[in-house]
Amino acid sequence: MLRSWRDLQSLIYLLALPLLVAWQWRRGFSWLAYGVVLFLTLGVGVIHHNHAHLPMWRSRWLNRLTDLYLSLLQGHPGFVFHCSHMANHHRYRQGPQDMTRTWRFGDHNHLAGYLLHPLQVLPVLYPHFAAWLARLRRRSPAAYRRCLLQYAAVLLPWGALAWLDWQNWLLLVLLPQLHGLHWLLATNYLQHAHADGHSRYDYARNFAGWVNPLLFNIGLHTAHHEHPHAHWSTLPTLHAQLRHRIDPRLQAGGLLPYMFRTFLLGPLLPRHRSHSLMTPPETR
């Protein structure tokens, strides 16, 4: 029933996260288990993103159940990927009409920009979500009800768990979900800050190393943009076909070394500072 056997990795992550939370809820806090939970919240965000682009199952009903389950684990309804990510970000690719373009808040690439990006983009996105839902309610009431079910899949478990033990809910559920949501939004900054939103191929940064096998090839971002409906397991092949078209400065190597160089060494050592690839208006 899976579209690809490679999504067995996705299923392992989706089962491991609530099991580790439940284990700590009953047995007590563990730093090791909590660290794995925080990592798995990153994985759930990527799985949610991948499932929105290409549903995991060949069955419509299994996909709809997975929509609800992912909304529950993510702490946010999955319909948002359709109205802002695919309909806007993938369409405009860091360009002037992309609501989530990183240069909307200044053409920079530094630690403060990375940390602030999720907080800056949320006030832009939520009015868009509300307007999209209002249009959907008029155009397709059944789809609108499915979106409301996704909200229920988040809010009802939150209420029940907070009623049972608000401290455990805060520590084991809400904070990890906020951590995952931060990375989901901030990854946009890592992938696009100082890239050229006016370029055909140089609008995204790509990462190599362990981030790809651990997080479903999320680092191969140009190939994902160029082939948004391709299964994540095919991105290494697609990236190899595109690599020669991408500015070498956007081949960033490992994610954590890139963040260390750019955000920590950059302010101290000029050779590690990021420089914008945005083309001046008069040369476009």
Side-chain angles (χ1 to χ4, degrees):
M1 299 286 287
L2 280 174
R3 196 175 296 276
S4 169
W5 69 269
R6 294 289 301 277
D7 275 318
L8 290 173
Q9 181 183 354
S10 305
L11 294 182
I12 290 170
Y13 283 33
L14 295 179
L15 292 173
L17 176 58
L19 288 175
L20 280 172
V21 170
W23 183 83
Q24 290 181 92
W25 191 291
R26 290 182 59 85
R27 298 295 184 90
F29 179 82
S30 160
W31 278 112
L32 177 60
Y34 199 70
V36 177
V37 164
L38 293 180
F39 166 75
L40 289 173
T41 62
L42 308 186
V44 166
V46 181
I47 294 165
H48 208 170
H49 162 270
N50 293 343
H51 179 70
H53 277 280
L54 183 68
M56 191 182 305
W57 306 95
R58 299 187 185 277
S59 161
R60 175 186 297 179
W61 290 105
L62 281 176
N63 284 324
R64 289 183 178 175
L65 288 173
T66 302
D67 290 340
L68 296 175
Y69 184 65
L70 283 166
S71 297
L72 182 154
L73 293 185
Q74 180 87 73
H76 204 285
F79 76 84
V80 299
F81 286 105
H82 298 278
C83 64
S84 64
H85 180 72
M86 290 183 287
N88 180 265
H89 178 62
H90 270 264
R91 182 178 181 183
Y92 298 116
R93 301 178 178 185
Q94 178 75 352
Q97 293 175 284
D98 183 356
M99 291 185 301
T100 61
R101 63 191 184 278
T102 57
W103 53 279
R104 180 183 192 131
F105 312 104
D107 187 19
H108 48 65
N109 187 14
H110 47 58
L111 182 60
Y114 162 74
L115 294 174
L116 289 173
H117 183 71
L119 300 177
Q120 291 171 325
V121 80
L122 283 175
V124 175
L125 290 176
Y126 271 94
H128 176 69
F129 297 158
W132 188 86
L133 281 173
R135 292 193 299 271
L136 187 67
R137 183 179 185 181
R138 295 190 297 269
R139 186 174 67 248
S140 178
Y144 172 75
R145 288 193 293 270
R146 288 196 295 273
C147 293
L148 294 187
L149 275 177
Q150 292 176 9
Y151 272 114
V154 175
L155 297 176
L156 293 178
W158 272 3
L161 293 173
W163 179 78
L164 286 172
D165 188 330
W166 70 268
Q167 292 174 313
N168 265 339
W169 169 73
L170 182 65
L171 178 65
L172 300 176
V173 178
L174 184 61
L175 289 180
Q177 287 179 338
L178 291 176
H179 171 262
L181 287 168
H182 166 83
W183 274 89
L184 186 65
L185 293 168
T187 296
N188 183 64
Y189 191 87
L190 297 172
Q191 292 167 330
H192 293 285
H194 271 176
D196 187 353
H198 302 285
S199 170
R200 176 64 184 85
Y201 291 105
D202 294 335
Y203 52 80
R205 183 173 289 102
N206 295 275
F207 298 100
W210 283 102
V211 67
N212 290 318
L214 290 176
L215 292 175
F216 311 96
N217 293 323
I218 194 64
L220 307 179
H221 200 54
T222 306
H224 169 63
H225 266 279
E226 295 297 315
H227 303 276
H229 301 297
H231 192 269
W232 61 265
S233 62
T234 66
L235 292 180
T237 300
L238 296 171
H239 175 73
Q241 296 169 1
L242 288 166
R243 188 182 181 95
H244 69 284
R245 299 177 181 269
I246 304 168
D247 190 305
R249 290 171 291 182
L250 293 173
Q251 306 290 355
L255 174 62
L256 293 180
Y258 163 81
M259 295 178 71
F260 179 75
R261 291 193 311 269
T262 305
F263 297 154
L264 299 181
L265 293 183
L268 304 174
L269 302 173
R271 67 190 181 94
H272 291 297
R273 289 175 192 163
S274 177
H275 299 282
S276 177
L277 299 184
M278 289 283 284
T279 53
E282 63 271 13
T283 64
R284 289 173 200 155

